[in-house]
Amino acid sequence: MYLLILLLPLLGSIFSGFFGRFLGHKGSSIISLACVFLSMLMSFIAFYEVGIMGLNQYITLSPWIEVGILKISWSFLFDSLTVTMLLVITIISSLVHLYSLEYMQEDPHLPRFLSFLEIFTFFMLVLVTADNLVQMFVGWEGVGLASYLLINFWFTRLAANQSAIKALVVNRIGDFGLSLGILTIFYIFQSVDYSIIFSLSPLFNNYYLNFGGIYIYGLTLIGIFLFIGAVGKSAQLGLHTWLPDAMEGPTPVSALIHAATMVTAGVFLLIRFSPLIEFSSTVLNILVIFGSLTAFFAGMSGIFQNDLKRVIAYSTCSQLGYMVFACGISCYNVSIFHLANHAFFKALLFLSAGSVIHALANEQDMRRMGSLIKFLPLTYSLMLIGSLALVGFPFLTGFYSKDFILELTQITLNNNLQDEHGSFACWLGNLSVFFTAFYSFRLIYLTFINSVNITRNNVLKSHEPSLIMLIPLIILGLGSIFFGYLGKDLFIGLGTDFWKSSIMILPTSSYYIEAEWLSVNLKWLPFVLSTLGVMLATGISTLKTHTYLYNNFYRSLCFLVNKKWYWDILYNRFLVYPILNFGYSVSFKNLDRGFIELIGPYGLSKLVPTWAQVFSKLQTGQLSHYLFFIVLGVCLFLMTIFNQVQLLIFYSVLVFFI
Amino acid sequence: MLIFVNSTSTSILLFLISVLGIFLNQKNILIMLMSLEMMFLSISFNLIFTSIYLDDVTGQIFSLLILTVAAAESSIGLAILVIYYRIRNVITVELMHLMKG
C-alpha cells in the first residue's frame, strides 16, 4: 500500500501521457483522477498508521548503486514527517486535479496537462519518501523538471518559455549546492542513508574539515550547502526571482507548485535534516537571517503588485521565509505545521484567484477588476477565508501556526539567556505580518469590493464556476478554517510525541514552554499589527484617499516596490548579462574559437606554410651562404658530440670569427 | 711540445684563412677553388705533423692520398668551371643563384 501511494501517480501519468490521445479528455481525466484520489486515500491510511499509531515503515526495494562502501538502494522511509508531507501533497494534488478538469476544459492538451501534474506529484512523493539523499535528489530534480514542463505548458507563449527556463536555471543553482552537500555528507559520514547520517551526526560535533589549511566545521559546511539547495527550491532571498515569474503557467499549476509542493521541498529538506543542522549554530543563524529577510522583502514586494497571481506568489515567498526562520530558531515542528496549514490556505487563494481569472476571461490585472462581490459571492467568501487564514485571524488555520512562530521569536528576543539570534526574525516577522495583512486585503478590495473596472462584456459573461471547480475550493476552505485547530495538538501541542525521531531539537534550544507563558501584550502584537494592516488597506481602498496619496514620493515608492526592488534588473545587469557576455566573448570567441584554435589545428595549419617559406628562403642560391650553413652545422654537430669546455670555447671563437 | 702546438696552430690557422677566403670572396670562383686547395694542404700538413709527432706512418699515407684526391678534385672542379664559363660567359660567384629556394 505504501508503494502504491507512489506508484499510482506514476501510472496515471504514464497512462494519460502516452495514451492520452486514445483515451481522450474524459478517459484520461477519469484515470488520472482515480489514481491520485486513491493515492490520497492511501496516504490517509498511511497517516493513521504511521503518524497516529506510530509504526514507522522502512521499505527496501532493490539495490541501486553498490560501489565499495557506497551502498544506495531504492528504499522508502515513512515516518511522521513523511506522512505529514504525503497528506499535504496528495490532498492538494487531488484537489488541483479535480479543479483543473474544468479550468483546463477548453484546452486541447488536457491529457498532457494531467500527465505533467501527475508526474509532478510522483516526483514530489519520491522526494519526501526517500530514505537516502540520492533517491531524494531524484525527486528533487524531477520536481524541477516537472515544474519546467508545467510552467511551460502553453509553450507557444514566449513569456511562459522564458519563465520556465528561468525557474529551471535558478533552481539548478540551488541543486548544485545540494549536490555539493550530498558529496560533503558522503565524504564525512561515508554514507547517504538518513538513518546512518542522523544517528552519527552528534558524534561529529567536533569534526573539522581541513580545506587547504583552513579548518571548516563539517556540519556547518553541510548545513550551508543544504541551505543553498533550499534557497533555490524554496525561493529564499537571493534566488527568489523565479517564483513570481513562474506565474506564467496555468493557475492550477501555480496552486500545486507554489502553494503546496515544490517550494515546500526546500523547507522539507531543512526539517528533514534537523538532526544535523541543529548542531551548527552558524547554519541556524543563516536560516534566521535569510528567512526573515525573505519574509520581510517578499511581504514588502507584495503590497504594490498589480497582478492577482503575483500578489499571492509573493505571499508564498513571504510565508516560506516564515518557515525557514522557524527552522532557524529550531522550531522544526512549528515550521512543518505552518507548511501544512499554508498549503491549505495558499492553494485556496490560488484556486480562488483562478476562479476569478476564469470568470473574467483570463484577466489577471487587479486594476481591471472590482466589485466582483456581486457576481462571484462564493468565490469572494472563499477568498476571504483564505486571506483571513493567511493574515492569522484568530481561530483560523494561519493563527495556530503563524502566530505561534511569532511568539517563539518573541521568546528568543525576550529570554534571559544570551542567545538572541532570533530577535532579527522577531522584528522582521512582525513587520511582515503587517504587510501580509495589507496586501491580502488590498487584493480583496481591488478584486471584489472597489468600484468596477471591467469591460461590460466580461462582466456580463462572468459567472461562478461550476461544481467541479467549487468542490475543491470548498474543501480547501474548510481545511483553511479547521485544519489548524484540529492539527494543533497533534503537531505542536505541548509534549506531543507525534514527531518521535523524525525531528530532533536540542533541549537547549527548545522554547515551547516559555512561549506558552509569554506576556499577553506580546501575544496580541501580531493580531494588532495585522488589524492595522487590514485597516490601512481598507482606508486606502474605500476612503478615496488616492488624491492625497498620489504625490511624487508615494508614486516612486510604489514603482520601486512594484518593480520588486529592481532585483531582476540588477541581476540581469550585473550577473546575467555579464555572464552571457563572458560566455560569448571570452569563452567562445577568445578561448574556444580563439586561443585553443590558434594553438590547435587552425594555428598549426597557418604556421607550417609560413615557416616552410622562411626555411626555403634560407636557400638563397649563394654558395658562400651555403658554406656558412655547412660550417655552422659542423660546428654545432661537433659541439654536441664533443661537449667539452675547451671545445665549446674554441668553437664559439670560431663562430664569432666567422 | 712547443713544436706540436705551433704546427697545429699553423695548420688550423691556414684552414681558417682558407674558410675565410671562401666566405669573404663574393666575386671570383677561382679564388674559392684555390682556398679549397689550401684547405686540403692545411689538412695534410696537419696530418703529416701529427704522424711525425706520434711516430706513425699512417698520417703520411693519408696525406699522400689527400694530395691525390685534391689533384683529381681540382682538375674536375676546373673542368666544371670551364663548362660553366662556356654556358654563362661569366664566373662571378654572386650571380650563381639559379638554384634559389
Side-chain angles (χ1 to χ4, degrees):
Chain A
M1 185 200 80
Y2 287 92
L3 290 179
L4 266 186
I5 296 176
L6 276 93
L7 201 60
L8 278 173
L10 179 64
L11 278 179
S13 168
I14 288 169
F15 270 103
S16 54
F18 286 115
F19 309 114
R21 61 166 73 186
F22 310 116
L23 295 170
H25 281 205
K26 208 160 221 171
S28 49
S29 309
I30 290 170
I31 284 184
S32 57
L33 208 63
C35 285
V36 82
F37 263 91
L38 276 176
S39 172
M40 179 180 76
L41 286 181
M42 279 186 274
S43 62
F44 271 115
I45 301 171
F47 185 77
Y48 175 74
E49 280 188 6
V50 176
I52 296 174
M53 288 309 184
L55 306 163
N56 283 4
Q57 304 284 333
Y58 290 87
I59 299 166
T60 305
L61 275 186
S62 71
W64 180 14
I65 301 168
E66 285 192 3
V67 184
I69 51 166
L70 174 67
K71 284 192 171 53
I72 302 169
S73 50
W74 289 104
S75 54
F76 301 93
L77 157 67
F78 292 82
D79 61 355
S80 312
L81 186 58
T82 302
V83 290
T84 312
M85 288 298 288
L86 273 189
L87 207 61
V88 170
I89 295 161
T90 49
I91 289 177
I92 303 295
S93 169
S94 357
L95 295 181
V96 165
H97 270 78
L98 186 57
Y99 180 92
S100 52
L101 289 193
E102 195 197 329
Y103 189 85
M104 303 294 283
Q105 182 131 52
E106 284 154 20
D107 197 285
H109 299 293
L110 182 68
R112 182 164 65 93
F113 185 70
L114 290 172
S115 167
F116 287 167
L117 279 186
E118 219 137 4
I119 201 76
F120 185 89
T121 314
F122 168 71
F123 277 125
M124 194 67 202
L125 293 176
V126 169
L127 198 161
V128 295
T129 55
D131 90 324
N132 60 60
L133 270 161
V134 179
Q135 194 182 333
M136 193 275 291
F137 199 64
V138 171
W140 187 272
E141 289 294 316
V143 165
L145 169 74
S147 79
Y148 172 80
L149 295 173
L150 281 172
I151 296 167
N152 205 1
F153 178 69
W154 289 316
F155 54 82
T156 48
R157 294 175 58 209
L158 180 64
N161 283 312
Q162 283 171 336
S163 41
I165 289 170
K166 188 176 182 182
L168 197 68
V169 170
V170 174
N171 263 304
R172 188 50 51 88
I173 299 170
D175 297 346
F176 183 64
L178 179 63
S179 52
L180 284 182
I182 294 174
L183 295 179
T184 318
I185 282 175
F186 181 69
Y187 178 71
I188 292 179
F189 293 102
Q190 310 287 320
S191 171
V192 287
D193 281 357
Y194 286 157
S195 50
I196 296 173
I197 297 166
F198 296 157
S199 48
L200 284 182
S201 60
L203 306 176
F204 280 82
N205 208 1
N206 291 316
Y207 183 82
Y208 286 87
L209 277 169
N210 185 352
F211 187 76
I214 306 165
Y215 285 89
I216 306 170
Y217 188 38
L219 298 184
T220 301
L221 190 67
I222 294 172
I224 287 173
F225 282 145
L226 295 181
F227 174 64
I228 291 171
V231 165
K233 211 50 124 194
S234 287
Q236 298 297 300
L237 195 68
L239 298 180
H240 66 280
T241 49
W242 68 272
L243 185 63
D245 282 6
M247 292 298 121
E248 290 297 335
T251 314
V253 171
S254 309
L256 189 61
I257 298 184
H258 310 111
T261 46
M262 180 168 165
V263 290
T264 58
V267 180
F268 168 77
L269 181 77
L270 295 177
I271 297 168
R272 174 59 92 194
F273 273 82
S274 63
L276 203 146
I277 60 177
E278 187 67 10
F279 289 101
S280 169
S281 57
T282 318
V283 175
L284 293 178
N285 284 337
I286 289 173
L287 292 189
V288 166
I289 289 168
F290 271 86
S292 44
L293 278 178
T294 309
F296 177 72
F297 163 77
M300 185 89 180
S301 298
I303 58 177
F304 289 126
Q305 295 299 318
N306 290 320
D307 190 310
L308 184 59
K309 282 168 77 181
R310 264 169 208 267
V311 175
I312 306 173
Y314 271 111
S315 104
T316 302
C317 201
S318 171
Q319 298 303 310
L320 287 165
Y322 276 90
M323 294 171 209
V324 169
F325 76 68
C327 289
I329 55 171
S330 312
C331 305
Y332 305 97
N333 49 359
V334 192
S335 178
I336 183 101
F337 185 47
H338 191 51
L339 192 157
N341 293 345
H342 171 257
F344 279 99
F345 56 71
K346 196 46 63 70
L348 174 62
L349 280 175
F350 265 121
L351 294 185
S352 317
S355 131
V356 170
I357 293 165
H358 200 55
L360 293 183
N362 295 327
E363 175 59 62
Q364 295 198 12
D365 199 327
M366 288 199 297
R367 290 168 298 188
R368 275 180 261 159
M369 293 181 185
S371 80
L372 286 176
I373 189 169
K374 301 277 194 305
F375 306 105
L376 308 170
L378 202 55
T379 308
Y380 166 70
S381 42
L382 287 164
M383 199 145 193
L384 189 66
I385 290 170
S387 295
L388 284 174
L390 174 65
V391 303
F393 190 77
F395 314 119
L396 290 185
T397 296
F399 172 72
Y400 290 104
S401 55
K402 203 170 101 173
D403 280 20
F404 192 51
I405 290 177
L406 291 169
E407 282 170 22
L408 288 162
T409 58
Q410 291 286 1
I411 288 298
T412 61
L413 181 63
N414 294 313
N415 66 355
N416 49 5
L417 303 172
Q418 295 303 313
D419 182 27
E420 292 192 339
H421 66 273
S423 51
F424 195 63
C426 180
W427 292 111
L428 291 182
N430 277 314
L431 273 178
S432 32
V433 164
F434 175 74
F435 290 131
T436 306
F438 181 78
Y439 63 67
S440 298
F441 276 83
R442 179 172 172 271
L443 186 150
I444 293 278
Y445 275 106
L446 280 178
T447 313
F448 290 105
I449 297 175
N450 279 0
S451 51
V452 66
N453 271 331
I454 321 168
T455 56
R456 185 183 168 83
N457 271 339
N458 283 348
V459 175
L460 289 178
K461 275 191 282 183
S462 71
H463 56 283
E464 281 288 4
S466 74
L467 213 55
I468 295 181
M469 264 163 89
L470 275 179
I471 288 171
L473 283 178
I474 291 167
I475 294 173
L476 285 172
L478 291 176
S480 305
I481 298 173
F482 293 115
F483 186 78
Y485 174 69
L486 295 176
K488 178 180 66 111
D489 280 334
L490 188 62
F491 290 123
I492 58 166
L494 207 56
T496 175
D497 63 345
F498 175 73
W499 299 109
K500 292 180 214 64
S501 58
S502 60
I503 285 175
M504 198 216 66
I505 300 168
L506 286 182
T508 48
S509 51
S510 173
Y511 303 116
Y512 299 103
I513 298 175
E514 289 95 327
E516 295 293 326
W517 277 274
L518 199 66
S519 84
V520 178
N521 293 333
L522 293 177
K523 286 204 176 203
W524 274 95
L525 183 66
F527 179 70
V528 171
L529 281 172
S530 57
T531 315
L532 276 178
V534 173
M535 277 159 59
L536 187 64
T538 314
I540 286 179
S541 301
T542 53
L543 293 179
K544 306 291 175 212
T545 48
H546 294 81
T547 45
Y548 307 110
L549 276 176
Y550 275 122
N551 54 33
N552 229 356
F553 172 73
Y554 180 77
R555 278 163 63 116
S556 49
L557 180 76
C558 273
F559 193 73
L560 175 70
V561 173
N562 184 271
K563 293 291 165 200
K564 312 145 210 165
W565 297 88
Y566 294 109
W567 269 94
D568 278 306
I569 293 166
L570 290 175
Y571 265 7
N572 281 343
R573 189 160 298 166
F574 293 111
L575 223 61
V576 178
Y577 284 133
I579 288 173
L580 278 178
N581 202 21
F582 181 86
Y584 180 67
S585 66
V586 176
S587 37
F588 177 69
K589 268 168 74 179
N590 283 344
L591 281 178
D592 277 5
R593 299 303 307 274
F595 191 66
I596 293 173
E597 286 270 300
L598 211 63
I599 61 170
Y602 179 76
L604 274 181
S605 65
K606 277 283 193 193
L607 200 69
V608 169
T610 323
W611 278 94
Q613 276 186 353
V614 168
F615 280 122
S616 75
K617 283 265 173 58
L618 279 180
Q619 286 147 8
T620 50
Q622 299 288 335
L623 284 181
S624 54
H625 293 178
Y626 289 158
L627 200 72
F628 170 74
F629 288 123
I630 289 167
V631 173
L632 194 71
V634 168
C635 292
L636 288 176
F637 177 71
L638 290 178
M639 231 153 76
T640 45
I641 299 274
F642 309 105
N643 191 9
Q644 291 169 6
V645 182
Q646 295 101 334
L647 274 176
L648 210 68
I649 295 168
F650 174 72
Y651 286 116
S652 50
V653 167
L654 184 82
V655 167
F656 176 74
F657 188 53
I658 289 168
Chain B
M1 203 61 194
L2 192 69
I3 296 167
F4 172 71
V5 169
N6 280 340
S7 53
T8 315
S9 313
T10 317
S11 67
I12 286 177
L13 199 65
L14 271 176
F15 187 81
L16 288 180
I17 286 170
S18 57
V19 168
L20 271 185
I22 295 177
F23 270 142
L24 301 181
N25 164 44
Q26 299 283 324
K27 296 268 186 222
N28 201 343
I29 201 162
L30 280 173
I31 294 175
M32 286 176 86
L33 279 176
M34 283 192 258
S35 302
L36 210 61
E37 284 305 310
M38 215 164 102
M39 262 188 205
F40 280 116
L41 286 178
S42 71
I43 293 298
S44 48
F45 196 56
N46 196 10
L47 278 173
I48 289 164
F49 267 116
T50 321
S51 84
I52 291 168
Y53 179 74
L54 295 175
D55 199 13
D56 187 2
V57 80
T58 322
Q60 294 170 34
I61 294 170
F62 257 99
S63 83
L64 278 174
L65 284 175
I66 285 172
L67 281 179
T68 325
V69 168
E73 198 207 285
S74 58
S75 63
I76 292 171
L78 282 172
I80 291 173
L81 188 63
V82 167
I83 292 168
Y84 184 79
Y85 179 73
R86 198 186 294 160
I87 295 170
R88 293 285 306 265
N89 271 329
V90 67
I91 51 166
T92 315
V93 181
E94 278 177 328
L95 299 177
M96 294 180 179
H97 50 64
L98 284 175
M99 296 287 280
K100 186 159 66 172

